[in-house]
Amino acid sequence: MENLSLDASSPKGLVSLVRNVGIEVGPGEVVGLVGESGSGKSQTALAISGLSPQGVRRTSGRIWCDGEELSALSESELHRRRGAKLAYVFQDPMSALNPTMRVGRQMADVLRRARPQLDRGQIVRAAHEILAAVGLTDGAWIMRAYPFQLSGGMRQRVMIALAYGCRPALIVADEPTTALDVTLQAQVLDLILALNGQVKSAMLFISHDLAIVRRICTRLYVMRKGEVVESGACAQIIASPQHEYTKTLLASARAKEAIP
Ligand SMILES: Nc1ncnc2c1ncn2[C@@H]1O[C@H](COP(=O)(O)OP(=O)(O)OP(=O)(O)O)[C@@H](O)[C@H]1O
Ligand SMILES: [Mg+2]
């Protein structure tokens, strides 16, 4: 992503949400995007594949994924790329799942789009495999279930399973563990790291928690008020933050005793 700027229309006129943001994530790399609430992390993530909410508009910038310029594609072309070339994992998996459709049917729909070479039987087998890979061994039950019948932790595992099952070039995870309790958080982070080691997707991991980001990311971008204020190797930034705002973020993580 190069030079991304986003505006939103409001009753008071146009307001700037994001300015000149550049982010790069290599294959197999887990890169963090951190910043306080409202700094523009989610808007940046949504803009990658044209998912910006109504009223939000890209005023500058170009976005590439796997050698293709996403920012030059039409809405329907972008729709086809989602799942296949890039996948999202959101904080609230309930919002990404259809409540009226069994989990298995939704998984099959996504897998069919992402991996059209698979036949019906292979899709079912792939669904079982990817559920097993995230520790959901009773795949038959899960696939028959409706989303509300699963626990929050199970739903998030299903979303992560689906994202990796599509083997996309890029996975964007927007606060994927924020809604989970601390024990589950740790398990899901380990899971993401393990799967990323196997599938080698590029991963953009969004969080406002430096302690979490430090555990799983090699590089880091820090956003504040719609701009990237600092970026670099995670260890380097944590050892010697340059920007005042990064120092504040670090101090608050340390206050929670999350970082020694
Ligand atoms: N649909 C929308 N229309 C206009 N402005 C929006 C819309 N959604 C969010 N915003 C504004 O965009 C800015 C950035 O919001 P964004 O959701 O990207 O923040 P964030 O960094 O993801 O925060 P959080 O950590 O709370 O998730 C905020 O000022 C927010 O009020
Ligand atoms: Mg957000």
Side-chain angles (χ1 to χ4, degrees), residues 87-91 171-176 192 203-207:
Y88 287 87
V89 179
F90 293 108
Q91 174 174 340
I171 296 182
V172 180
D174 193 350
E175 313 247 12
I192 288 176
M203 169 168 267
L204 183 63
F205 187 96
I206 299 177
S207 177

Side-chain angles (χ1 to χ4, degrees):
M1 169 186 296
E2 195 178 88
N3 198 31
L4 177 80
S5 299
L6 302 169
D7 273 0
S9 44
S10 79
K12 290 183 207 150
L14 284 180
V15 288
S16 164
L17 297 187
V18 165
R19 282 171 306 285
N20 306 324
V21 167
I23 292 176
E24 203 174 325
V25 190
E29 204 184 13
V30 183
V31 170
L33 178 60
V34 296
E36 66 192 349
S37 186
S39 55
K41 305 182 296 295
S42 295
Q43 291 295 338
T44 300
L46 292 170
I48 294 173
S49 75
L51 285 178
S52 299
Q54 218 170 17
V56 173
R57 203 170 53 97
R58 189 178 76 233
T59 54
S60 76
R62 296 172 76 184
I63 299 155
W64 290 268
C65 178
D66 199 22
E68 180 177 51
E69 187 181 349
L70 298 182
S71 47
L73 298 180
S74 70
E75 179 46 48
S76 66
E77 287 170 320
L78 279 172
H79 180 76
R80 279 199 295 278
R81 299 305 183 277
R82 289 194 285 270
K85 271 213 171 175
L86 80 166
Y88 287 87
V89 179
F90 293 108
Q91 174 174 340
D92 171 19
M94 211 51 192
S95 67
L97 290 165
N98 182 337
T100 66
M101 210 192 268
R102 292 182 199 271
V103 169
R105 172 118 180 262
Q106 303 188 52
M107 292 184 70
D109 286 350
V110 174
L111 285 173
R112 204 173 298 124
R113 200 166 72 211
R115 294 162 69 183
Q117 73 280 11
L118 300 188
D119 67 27
R120 238 183 137 83
Q122 288 171 319
I123 295 239
V124 174
R125 268 200 300 284
H128 276 283
E129 274 167 26
I130 64 179
L131 288 176
V134 296
L136 298 173
T137 44
D138 196 354
W141 179 78
I142 297 211
M143 286 197 265
R144 271 198 312 274
Y146 289 94
F148 72 87
Q149 292 175 296
L150 307 183
S151 70
M154 281 173 149
R155 280 196 292 266
Q156 198 55 298
R157 277 170 197 264
V158 168
M159 294 311 298
I160 291 167
L162 258 184
Y164 280 101
C166 294
R167 300 181 188 161
L170 172 69
I171 296 182
V172 180
D174 193 350
E175 313 247 12
T177 64
T178 307
L180 305 176
D181 68 45
V182 177
T183 320
L184 267 178
Q185 259 187 23
Q187 289 174 10
V188 169
L189 290 177
D190 287 344
L191 180 65
I192 288 176
L193 272 184
L195 287 171
N196 220 71
Q198 292 164 21
V199 178
K200 303 266 182 275
S201 295
M203 169 168 267
L204 183 63
F205 187 96
I206 299 177
S207 177
H208 55 259
D209 190 336
L210 260 183
I212 287 183
V213 164
R214 184 179 94 133
R215 262 194 66 190
I216 74 163
C217 299
T218 45
R219 284 192 305 116
L220 189 58
Y221 292 84
V222 182
M223 267 187 96
R224 174 157 206 246
K225 296 186 176 167
E227 291 176 17
V228 170
V229 293
E230 183 160 3
S231 66
C234 201
Q236 172 77 38
I237 288 181
I238 284 173
S240 68
Q242 298 302 304
H243 197 278
E244 279 311 311
Y245 173 63
T246 315
K247 291 178 190 169
T248 314
L249 264 186
L250 205 54
S252 83
R254 288 210 168 98
K256 289 192 290 181
E257 294 181 85
I259 292 182

